[in-house]
Amino acid sequence: MNDKTLDCSDIDQYIGKPMQPGRTRDPVANNDIRRWAQGMHYPNRLHYDDDFALESRYGRLVAPQSFPVATDDGHGAAPACVGSIPNSHLIFGGDEWWFHGPRIFAGDLVRNERVPFDYVVKDTKFAGPTCFQRGDNVYYNAQGDKIATQRSTSIRYRADLAREMGSLTATEDPVWTRAEIEELEARKFEYVQTLHDLGHGKRWWDDISVGDALPVRIFGPHSIASFTTEWRAYLFTIWGSMHRRTDLDLEALGFSKDMAGHENDPVMERINPELTDGAYFGPSRGHLFPEWARTIGMPRAYGYGASMGAWIIDYFAGWAGEWGRVVHCNSAYRGPAFSGDITLMTATVIDKRVDDQGRNIVQVDCKMASQLGTVMATAKGEIELPKK
């Protein structure tokens, strides 16, 4: 391989073939749902407040629509990163979700099927030749009802080329004054109040107009502490929580030995679990340790792509209220949340229609950006709302 190539030939043997799942050992518990809502910074009382949930249409706590990804052992990205690409690293590139109707409650045992879908190599300003690889996760409950389908995209690149091209040079966290933090907290609470104002009420499809804006949602300033809170909300990061995959070889995926570690290793988990959960060792530590982030071409600690996808789905679902639901969401990630930055989410209604299934659908266009205006993600969502 010369200095500017990316060898993706090994991926071909996996495309279209079901792969080994990584599944939770135990049924979902209410505290798993609460931990997820808290980790995703989503203060919707349907998902953590028993008294409020008891009076809802569900009569009990219900998991956010974003929750299925928490039941997988790799953010849903596993089928999007099979095959060896020597000397590579990867970041999440996007998620497309289809929600089929059933919701997740305490007591449900969620299963998934995973199939690598396709890949394409493109030249990018970030790292030269870059592989955009996709794979599907289909989530089911114990009754065999299909909950959701997730098509993830991973972006696989050579970290040495990313560093060489200077796309992401080492930087320090921006500094926020106390007054600026207080202003941000006030703005964040304005969004929370929109959830409270809707309560158990219905957002009627009839009352929505093209051009309507969703409330602004703000996260941050992000920190290693907030990223860690997100990480621990994913069930697979809990010791012993999963039937771990036995076919995962991080070095074969291109990670150097010192970077690969023993993340998700079922044998090492029994010996020394701190080496396996991704917070302290393995590729995922790049999120929480700036030194390792810079090793893979990131400027400093950075957030999780799957969390960004969850923020978007929760944003749409929170606006829809308990009587509405997200039926489809397609998100493209351009760059992660970095420590010290904030994330601002905005969205606008761009269409409303009755679809071929007779559902009253509102389509929204969403943008996620930093305080500097750098676009981190874009998304389009289709939301079903009740009709008067």
Side-chain angles (χ1 to χ4, degrees), residues 109-185:
L109 189 61
V110 180
R111 299 299 191 208
N112 66 345
E113 297 175 349
R114 308 196 286 201
V115 182
F117 187 69
D118 65 7
Y119 73 96
V120 64
V121 178
K122 300 179 181 179
D123 197 61
T124 67
K125 295 179 181 179
F126 166 62
T130 302
C131 177
F132 295 83
Q133 185 174 352
R134 297 192 297 177
D136 289 350
N137 259 293
V138 184
Y139 298 87
Y140 301 88
N141 60 26
Q143 292 72 44
D145 301 320
K146 188 185 292 187
I147 299 168
T149 300
Q150 174 193 17
R151 177 164 294 166
S152 293
T153 299
S154 69
I155 300 174
R156 304 181 68 178
Y157 62 95
R158 283 176 51 188
D160 61 328
L161 294 182
R163 290 192 297 271
E164 179 184 318
M165 296 176 74
S167 300
L168 293 171
T169 56
T171 56
E172 298 299 325
D173 288 7
V175 176
W176 298 83
T177 67
R178 184 180 295 258
E180 289 171 332
I181 294 294
E182 290 176 352
E183 180 184 356
L184 287 175
E185 291 303 322

Side-chain angles (χ1 to χ4, degrees), residues 22 24 41 56 75 118 129 152 171 194 211 239 252 268 288-289 316 369:
T24 55
H41 320 285
S56 75
H75 313 266
D118 65 7
S152 293
T171 56
T194 68
W239 301 348
M268 181 57 73
L288 303 178
F289 292 88
F316 293 161

Side-chain angles (χ1 to χ4, degrees), residues 44 50 54 75 107 148 152 173 176 225 267 269 275 317 335 352 365:
N44 187 327
D50 281 311
L54 183 64
H75 313 266
S152 293
D173 288 7
W176 298 83
V267 176
E269 186 175 45
L275 296 179
K352 58 179 293 190
D365 192 23

Side-chain angles (χ1 to χ4, degrees), residues 202-206 323 352 354 358 360 385-388:
K202 296 181 179 180
R203 189 176 300 283
W204 298 105
W205 179 84
D206 314 67
W323 295 94
K352 58 179 293 190
V354 178
N360 301 297
L385 295 178
K387 183 175 172 58
K388 291 179 179 177

Side-chain angles (χ1 to χ4, degrees), residues 75-384:
H75 313 266
C81 54
V82 296
S84 173
I85 302 180
N87 304 310
S88 66
H89 189 66
L90 65 89
I91 56 176
F92 236 147
D95 273 321
E96 186 168 10
W97 286 89
W98 295 265
F99 295 96
H100 305 296
R103 299 295 295 266
I104 298 175
F105 301 92
D108 283 342
L109 189 61
V110 180
R111 299 299 191 208
N112 66 345
E113 297 175 349
R114 308 196 286 201
V115 182
F117 187 69
D118 65 7
Y119 73 96
V120 64
V121 178
K122 300 179 181 179
D123 197 61
T124 67
K125 295 179 181 179
F126 166 62
T130 302
C131 177
F132 295 83
Q133 185 174 352
R134 297 192 297 177
D136 289 350
N137 259 293
V138 184
Y139 298 87
Y140 301 88
N141 60 26
Q143 292 72 44
D145 301 320
K146 188 185 292 187
I147 299 168
T149 300
Q150 174 193 17
R151 177 164 294 166
S152 293
T153 299
S154 69
I155 300 174
R156 304 181 68 178
Y157 62 95
R158 283 176 51 188
D160 61 328
L161 294 182
R163 290 192 297 271
E164 179 184 318
M165 296 176 74
S167 300
L168 293 171
T169 56
T171 56
E172 298 299 325
D173 288 7
V175 176
W176 298 83
T177 67
R178 184 180 295 258
E180 289 171 332
I181 294 294
E182 290 176 352
E183 180 184 356
L184 287 175
E185 291 303 322
R187 294 182 66 191
K188 285 193 280 186
F189 187 60
E190 288 177 4
Y191 167 76
V192 177
Q193 286 180 308
T194 68
L195 300 178
H196 295 336
D197 290 344
L198 184 58
H200 297 300
K202 296 181 179 180
R203 189 176 300 283
W204 298 105
W205 179 84
D206 314 67
D207 297 336
I208 303 301
S209 300
V210 172
D212 287 353
L214 276 63
V216 177
R217 188 179 182 194
I218 298 176
F219 298 85
H222 304 289
S223 65
I224 291 173
S226 69
F227 294 152
T228 305
T229 300
E230 293 167 30
W231 179 248
R232 289 303 182 203
Y234 291 90
L235 302 184
F236 76 91
T237 71
I238 301 170
W239 301 348
S241 62
M242 306 290 294
H243 295 282
R244 303 287 179 189
R245 291 171 56 193
T246 59
D247 63 348
L248 181 62
D249 186 342
L250 291 169
E251 287 187 64
L253 291 179
F255 298 108
S256 60
K257 187 175 181 62
D258 63 339
M259 190 68 182
H262 296 277
E263 192 168 327
N264 274 345
D265 183 332
V267 176
M268 181 57 73
E269 186 175 45
R270 295 185 175 94
I271 300 169
N272 185 357
E274 287 199 339
L275 296 179
T276 70
D277 70 17
Y280 310 111
F281 299 95
S284 295
R285 67 181 141 172
H287 291 283
L288 303 178
F289 292 88
E291 171 193 355
W292 290 100
R294 289 160 182 160
T295 298
I296 58 173
M298 292 293 175
R300 54 187 189 271
Y302 64 103
Y304 304 93
S307 295
M308 291 170 63
W311 298 346
I312 291 168
I313 292 169
D314 292 341
Y315 181 43
F316 293 161
W319 178 77
E322 70 180 68
W323 295 94
R325 69 185 184 100
V326 181
V327 297
H328 178 236
C329 179
N330 193 0
S331 303
Y333 311 142
R334 300 187 186 180
F338 291 114
S339 58
D341 287 347
I342 65 169
T343 297
L344 298 98
M345 295 179 63
T346 56
T348 305
V349 175
I350 59 173
D351 190 23
K352 58 179 293 190
R353 68 185 188 279
V354 178
D355 71 5
D356 56 8
Q357 298 181 45
R359 301 177 301 189
N360 301 297
I361 299 294
V362 169
Q363 187 180 52
V364 294
D365 192 23
C366 176
K367 183 174 75 172
M368 180 185 292
S370 74
Q371 75 278 6
L372 299 176
T374 302
V375 177
M376 301 160 54
T378 58
K380 282 187 169 57
E382 292 176 298
I383 302 168
E384 182 181 12

